[in-house]
Amino acid sequence: MASKVIVIGSINGRFADVFPKLSALQSKNSFSFAIILGDLFAAPDSGDDEAITNLLDGTTRIPLHTYFSIGQHPLPQRIIDKIEKDAGEVCENLYFLGKRTTLTTSEGIKIIALGGRLDRGNVVGLSKDKYLPFYTNDDARALRGANSADLLLTYEWPESIQRGSGVTLPDSPNPPQRPEIASLCSVLKPRYHFSTSPGAFYEREPFFHELTGEDQTTRRITRFLSLADFGNDKKAKWLYAFSINPADPPPSAIPVGATASPLGAPTTRRDGKRSHSESDQPFSRFSRTGHGSHQHKRARPPPAPSECFFCLSSPTVQTHLITSIATDAYLTTARGPLSTASAFPSLGFPAHTLIIPLTHSPTLASIEETEARENTLAEMHRYRRALQNMLRSKSANGEQPLGAVAWEVSRRDGVHTHWQSLPVSAQMAQNGLVEAAFRVEAENRKYPKFEDRQSGKEGEDFFRVWIWSGPEPDESTEKCLLLPLTSSFRFDLQFGRHVMAKLLGLEDRKDWRDCVQEQQEEVKDADRFKEAFKAFDFSLEED
C-alpha cells in the first residue's frame, strides 16, 4: 500500500509560520509522516528561546509524526536535553532522526539520514558528538552497510549530481558537493534522495544505476530533489509531497527522460573489487521505540531487534571503542574485555577485539547478496590475519611469543553476527592446550563433539573457533574446530569466553559485565591498540 509523505526544507525556527500550514495540508491529504530537511532550528545567536519554549511546552502543535536531522547549525542545548531524556522525542509528534541514522518506519519505508557538513579536520573515525553539525568520511562509509534505501536524506549534495543533466539550479550558488555523499548514494541506490539548497528548488531528471550483483536485469532508479528554505526571497519551492510503496519493485522500464547515473560506480574497494550493491533485507534498525517508530499504527512486527549495539548507524554504538572501519567490516576493542593490560606484557593493552560486519545479519550465510556475503567474509578474515601479524610483530622479541584464538557463534535466530579475537601464548596453542580446553569443556557440558572442519553446512547453526599458533599468519599454523548447534541441547552464548577464562586463569572475569571499565580507561586502551595496529590496518590504505 502506498504511503503519502511530505518533505519540507529548512525552516530555521519559524515554527509559528510552518506548522499551521502543515496542519492545513494534513487535514486534506492525510500524510503518513513528514520530514524536515536541513535546519529545523534557527542559528544559535538568533534569540528564538520563546519559539523553543512554545515547542517544548506544547503551545506549538505538530499535526503529524515529523522527523528531523541536522543541517548547518548545532541543536539548541534545551532540545538536546529533551532528546536525551525522552529517547529522541522533542514534543508530541516531533522526533530527532539522528545525525547518522538508519530507520525503517511502520509503513516499511527505509530511511537513511546523514546530517551536517563534512568535517575536514576529522577525516578518520566516527564523529563523537551526536548533535554537532559535522560528519566524517567514516560516518558516510558506515551507512553504506545499510545496502539499500527508499529515502536518503543528506544536508550536502553528492558530487557530480548535475553531470549529464539538462536542469540548472536557478540563479543560485551550488551547494557543497561531496564524493562521500555520491558514493553513499551509489551504494544505497535510494528511490529518492533529498537535500537542501537555501535559495532554490532543484529536481534533477531521474537517473538509473548500473547493473551490479546477481540481478542483471533490473535497474534501480533514483530521483534527486533539493528543497529551498521556507521563506526564501525567491519564493522557491520549499516542500514536496509524494506517494511511495516500499513493496513496489523497481520499474520494468527506464522512465522517459532518465539519464545514466552521474555519480559513477560505487567506490572501488581496496582489494580492487567494487563495493557490494543493494540487498533489500539484511540491514535495518526496525521501528525503534521513541523517535524511530510510528506509534499510531504498526503494519507488521519488526523482523529485527529495535536496537543493535553493533550497527554503526545505531545511537547506542560505542564509537570510542571502534579502532578501524573498512569497506564491509569493522574492528573494535571489547567492552568488558576478558584480558587486562597486564595479561600480555609485550602489548600493554588487553587486545580483546571484535570483528563485526557492517551488514546487520544474524549469520554471514544469511547475507542475501552473494558478492556482499563473499566480500564480508573475506574482509573479516583479512582483519584476523592483520591481528595475527600485529601479535607476531609485537611479541617477537619478548619472552612470550603470542598466538591467537578467534571464535564465532552463528545462529539463525541471532542478532548481529561477529567474531571475537584474543591473544594466547603461542606455546599453549602449539602444545594443543587450547584445542583440548575447548573439547574438554564441551564434553563436560555434554555438548556434541567438536568436528575438524572449516565451515557450517547449509542452514546449520554452529560455534566455530580458530586457533592460531604462529608465527606465520596462514592456514598452515591454524586449527579450525566447529561445534554443530542443534535443538537437542542449550548452548551457552558465552562458551568461548568461559573456555578462555579458564585457560588463562581469569575465571573471575568470565562475565563481561563484571569487567566493564570507566570510559576514560576504555578510550586509553582503544588508543593504545590503534597505535599498535596502525602499521597493519589495511583500512588506512588509500582507496
Side-chain angles (χ1 to χ4, degrees):
M1 179 177 175
S3 301
K4 289 183 177 180
V5 180
I6 185 166
V7 182
I8 300 168
S10 294
I11 66 176
N12 296 298
R14 297 181 62 177
F15 313 134
D17 297 318
V18 171
F19 290 128
K21 293 180 186 293
L22 184 57
S23 292
L25 289 168
Q26 174 65 1
S27 66
K28 297 176 182 177
N29 295 276
S30 298
F31 296 109
S32 295
F33 59 90
I35 295 170
I36 297 175
L37 304 169
D39 289 296
L40 171 61
F41 300 96
D45 57 355
S46 62
D48 64 344
D49 283 352
E50 183 178 356
I52 292 175
T53 297
N54 290 341
L55 196 65
L56 293 174
D57 68 13
T59 302
T60 298
R61 307 281 296 185
I62 315 296
L64 75 161
H65 273 63
T66 301
Y67 301 98
F68 71 97
S69 184
I70 293 180
Q72 64 175 326
H73 304 312
L75 298 184
Q77 187 58 50
R78 292 168 66 195
I79 298 298
I80 293 173
D81 293 343
K82 187 64 163 58
I83 290 170
E84 290 287 319
K85 177 184 176 184
D86 291 336
E89 183 178 12
V90 174
C91 61
E92 184 179 4
N93 280 338
L94 184 62
Y95 303 92
F96 180 52
L97 269 176
K99 177 166 63 177
R100 184 190 71 246
T101 303
T102 298
L103 161 73
T104 301
T105 72
S106 59
E107 294 84 6
I109 298 170
K110 188 173 181 181
I111 302 172
I112 310 294
L114 181 63
R117 297 165 288 167
L118 179 65
D119 185 355
R120 295 193 173 277
N122 182 18
V123 296
V124 176
L126 298 172
S127 52
K128 304 297 184 184
D129 194 297
K130 295 182 287 187
Y131 306 108
L132 288 179
F134 300 101
Y135 68 89
T136 68
N137 294 342
D138 282 347
D139 286 323
R141 179 183 291 173
L143 288 174
R144 297 186 208 170
N147 296 325
S148 65
D150 294 308
L151 310 180
L152 174 60
L153 316 176
T154 63
Y155 179 68
E156 295 184 315
W157 281 22
E159 185 178 63
S160 305
I161 188 63
Q162 293 167 286
R163 179 191 299 156
S165 172
V167 182
T168 58
L169 189 65
D171 196 23
S172 179
N174 283 345
Q177 300 186 14
R178 304 297 183 199
E180 294 81 5
I181 304 295
S183 182
L184 181 62
C185 183
S186 291
V187 170
L188 298 180
K189 301 177 176 62
R191 297 173 190 259
Y192 290 88
H193 182 172
F194 289 100
S195 191
T196 61
S197 41
F201 171 77
Y202 179 78
E203 181 175 7
R204 193 199 186 281
E205 303 95 333
F207 57 89
F208 56 86
H209 298 269
E210 69 174 66
L211 297 172
T212 57
E214 295 178 332
D215 187 352
Q216 292 293 309
T217 60
T218 305
R219 291 186 183 272
R220 309 272 297 191
I221 305 294
T222 294
R223 288 170 168 81
F224 176 80
L225 299 100
S226 186
L227 273 59
D229 290 2
F230 171 77
N232 64 89
D233 294 338
K234 298 171 185 173
K235 302 188 183 303
K237 188 173 181 178
W238 56 275
L239 57 79
Y240 183 86
F242 64 103
S243 294
I244 182 171
N245 184 353
D248 283 345
S252 56
I254 294 174
V256 175
T259 75
S261 172
L263 310 177
T267 302
T268 302
R269 295 165 50 89
R270 293 181 176 88
D271 56 9
K273 298 179 181 178
R274 193 169 58 232
S275 297
H276 61 265
S277 61
E278 77 280 354
S279 174
D280 289 331
Q281 298 299 328
F283 181 105
S284 58
R285 290 195 307 109
F286 289 83
S287 298
R288 298 175 311 200
T289 54
H291 61 286
S293 65
H294 294 305
Q295 299 301 322
H296 60 298
K297 63 179 180 177
R298 185 176 295 278
R300 63 187 182 205
S306 60
E307 293 286 351
C308 177
F309 292 107
F310 294 149
C311 286
L312 293 189
S313 58
S314 169
T316 61
V317 69
Q318 303 292 313
T319 57
H320 63 284
L321 300 178
I322 295 172
T323 57
S324 173
I325 301 176
T327 305
D328 298 288
Y330 72 98
L331 186 67
T332 175
T333 53
R335 191 153 196 233
L338 173 59
S339 52
T340 63
S342 60
F344 308 107
S346 59
L347 300 179
F349 49 85
H352 184 175
T353 56
L354 277 67
I355 304 169
I356 306 172
L358 290 176
T359 298
H360 179 92
S361 182
T363 69
L364 289 171
S366 61
I367 298 176
E368 292 191 352
E369 206 272 325
T370 302
E371 185 181 7
R373 183 170 61 251
E374 292 174 349
N375 289 342
T376 300
L377 178 61
E379 196 162 81
M380 292 177 74
H381 278 304
R382 193 174 181 190
Y383 266 127
R384 265 199 330 112
R385 300 300 185 209
L387 288 169
Q388 292 169 0
N389 275 322
M390 180 195 74
L391 295 175
R392 178 181 63 174
S393 173
K394 297 299 179 184
S395 66
N397 299 320
E399 296 180 1
Q400 183 189 33
L402 294 176
V405 177
W407 65 91
E408 169 193 18
V409 178
S410 179
R411 300 199 318 173
R412 286 162 293 175
D413 62 351
V415 180
H416 191 139
T417 190
H418 59 280
W419 298 349
Q420 297 193 50
S421 178
L422 193 69
V424 70
S425 160
Q427 187 173 18
M428 275 188 176
Q430 291 164 0
N431 293 345
L433 294 179
V434 178
E435 179 180 349
F438 278 95
R439 291 187 184 275
V440 168
E441 186 64 20
E443 184 177 349
N444 289 343
R445 296 185 182 217
K446 300 187 178 349
Y447 290 170
K449 291 184 177 181
F450 272 98
E451 300 176 9
D452 293 323
R453 55 185 170 103
Q454 293 281 338
S455 57
K457 300 171 184 175
E458 185 175 353
E460 181 182 43
D461 293 342
F462 58 85
F463 173 85
R464 175 166 52 180
V465 58
W466 295 274
I467 304 166
W468 174 69
S469 58
E472 296 303 321
D474 57 41
E475 294 181 2
S476 67
T477 54
E478 184 170 83
K479 177 87 171 183
C480 184
L481 303 174
L482 190 142
L483 177 69
L485 304 182
T486 69
S487 58
S488 64
F489 69 100
R490 185 172 181 178
F491 180 72
D492 181 359
L493 296 179
Q494 297 300 316
F495 176 73
R497 183 180 178 115
H498 290 176
V499 171
M500 294 304 297
K502 279 187 178 181
L503 187 67
L504 298 175
L506 298 170
E507 289 188 82
D508 59 329
R509 297 179 63 84
K510 67 180 181 180
D511 190 330
W512 71 270
R513 289 165 294 190
D514 296 333
C515 308
V516 174
Q517 304 162 283
E518 295 293 331
Q519 182 166 326
Q520 185 177 3
E521 287 302 310
E522 291 179 332
V523 170
K524 284 182 180 178
D525 284 341
D527 286 344
R528 292 187 188 111
F529 176 87
K530 280 191 281 190
E531 183 60 31
F533 188 62
K534 183 163 51 176
F536 311 94
D537 187 357
F538 58 88
S539 78
L540 299 179
E541 299 170 8
E542 293 296 329
D543 286 332

